[in-house]
Structure formats: C-alpha cells, structure tokens
Amino acid sequence: DIQMTQSPSSLSASVGDRVTISCRASQVIGNYLAWYQQKPGKVPKLLIYAASTLQSGVPSRFIGSGSGTDFTLTISSLQPEDVATYYCQKCNGAPFTFGPGTKVDIK
Amino acid sequence: EVQLVESGGGLEQPGGSLRLSCAASGFSFSTYAMSWVRQAPGKGLEWVSGISGSGGSIYYADSVKGRFTISRDNSKDTLHLQMNSLRVEDTAVYYCAKMSGSYYGEIDYWGRGTLVTGSS
C-alpha cells in the first residue's frame, strides 16, 4: 500500500507569515491528493482537491501544488483562524490513506 | 444541503459488536461512494472502509479487515458499519463521509461523528 508522510509534524509561525507544509506519497499518485483542515474539536474540512484546486468558499491564501509523489500546502499569509491540524490524503483508490497531520500554531 | 448524521456509537466490551448507521440527505446518495473515517482520542485521521455508489465495490483498511463490514441501502439513503470483535484500539470518533466520485475521490462532506469506546 502507498504510505503518506507529512513534514513538519508541527510548526509555529507569526500572523502574516508564509507557511509551507509538505506531503509525500511512497508511490506516484498523479494529482489525486486532497488537503483537509481540522480545527480543535471540529470536523475536518476539505480545503484543496486534485492537488491544487481550491474548494468553494476556502480563502485564496490556501494554495496547493505538486504532482506525482511530492505535494505542498502553502498558507500565503497566516491568520489566527488558521490554527488547526492539516492532513493530506491520497484519493486515487483504496486504501485512501491520510498523512499523519501537521499542527499549525501562532507564535 | 448535504447532511450526514451518524448513530449507533457507544461503549462496548472488547470482543463485542456495534452497528453504526449514517443517514444521508441533500444529495443523490446512490451516485456517490461513501467512507467511514475514524479518529482515536488525540490522534490523526484514519480511513477505515469505503463503498462505491452502487455498493458493488468495497474496501477496508488492513486494521479492520475481517472484523468490520460496510454496507449501504440506497433505497433508504443509509450507510452502515458493522463492527465485530471490537478491540480497545478501535476506540475513536467514527465519521461518515461522502466522497466526490462514484468509486473514489476526496471527501467533500463529513458527518459530526459518533464515539465508539471499546473498553471493559
């Protein structure tokens, strides 16, 4: 099965900073990669699908890129409401494995 | 408006069984694949099982294969997860999730989750 890894596992940044989260698949998955945001105590929310397509209603400061095995989620200007754990997920076939998550805090 | 409402969670002893249900509304249920995703306390998301829109294709994570059974009733817009031989490590919030395609895709809608506790 394809394994998903994320780095870093956590980060702390200042409001307005550019934040980058990496996700790597152990085999090529094309652009079948989604990103989710889960705020503390809340249900996960879809941010980006097909590696780079912004889900409706998601702020444009969230940017997805990559294909093949290496993917990136960028928050162009970190806001206080972005405090959350971010997960990537492969979506091209079962098992639909999630990455272990990246926790983002405000410094 | 898409709604997914889970039920059936609770406390069950190791070795016991539980049946989770998810009532779906607001979309053409039979068109879309569905999944169960769980989250143990303080841990990350784990995909558990998925089923195609027609019900003809079924998938499981290795951690639950042979113990859990996913099914759907497209006449009642309902998804189920039969959980047998429960283990302590099955303790988690179980989310019902709608996928964007008939067989695969990202999860575009999530239920609020139901808590399953496997403990004596």
Side-chain angles (χ1 to χ4, degrees):
Chain A
D1 292 344
I2 297 174
Q3 306 304 314
M4 305 298 294
T5 57
Q6 286 183 236
S7 61
S9 57
S10 64
L11 66 89
S12 186
S14 300
V15 173
D17 281 355
R18 184 181 185 88
V19 167
T20 299
I21 299 168
S22 296
C23 174
R24 176 167 288 179
S26 61
Q27 298 176 39
V28 170
I29 59 170
N31 70 339
Y32 290 95
L33 192 283
W35 289 97
Y36 303 89
Q37 175 193 63
Q38 187 177 31
K39 296 183 178 181
K42 301 296 186 182
V43 175
K45 170 187 172 183
L46 176 65
L47 293 179
I48 287 169
Y49 61 95
S52 62
T53 303
L54 201 64
Q55 174 71 340
S56 176
V58 174
S60 59
R61 65 180 179 273
F62 291 95
I63 302 163
S65 62
S67 68
T69 61
D70 293 305
F71 304 87
T72 300
L73 173 66
T74 299
I75 307 174
S76 61
S77 176
L78 187 67
Q79 300 301 304
E81 60 266 32
D82 300 335
V83 169
T85 300
Y86 294 84
Y87 298 92
C88 62
Q89 183 198 27
K90 64 175 285 290
C91 304
N92 61 328
F96 299 98
T97 309
F98 289 91
T102 296
K103 187 175 182 180
V104 175
D105 283 327
I106 299 292
K107 193 182 294 182
Chain B
E1 178 193 6
V2 171
Q3 288 196 343
L4 301 169
V5 180
E6 302 94 339
S7 61
L11 175 66
E12 182 57 60
Q13 291 185 349
S17 298
L18 279 175
R19 181 176 169 86
L20 305 185
S21 297
C22 171
S25 62
F27 65 102
S28 177
F29 183 71
S30 62
T31 299
Y32 297 96
M34 300 291 294
S35 277
W36 289 97
V37 175
R38 69 184 181 184
Q39 187 167 35
K43 302 297 184 183
L45 301 172
E46 180 187 14
W47 176 82
V48 171
S49 182
I51 186 168
S52 63
S54 67
S57 296
I58 286 174
Y59 317 100
Y60 298 100
D62 287 345
S63 57
V64 306
K65 202 171 294 181
R67 300 187 299 121
F68 290 10
T69 302
I70 192 172
S71 62
R72 65 190 298 159
D73 184 341
N74 286 346
S75 69
K76 297 181 179 179
D77 293 354
T78 304
L79 177 72
H80 300 286
L81 185 69
Q82 178 66 43
M83 309 167 65
N84 296 333
S85 303
L86 278 167
R87 303 170 179 169
V88 171
E89 56 264 35
D90 294 322
T91 295
V93 173
Y94 284 73
Y95 295 104
C96 170
K98 172 189 171 293
M99 301 174 77
S100 63
S102 295
Y103 288 90
Y104 54 84
E106 64 277 1
I107 293 171
D108 51 7
Y109 291 94
W110 300 70
R112 301 186 69 84
T114 186
L115 177 63
V116 171
T117 304
S119 173
S120 54

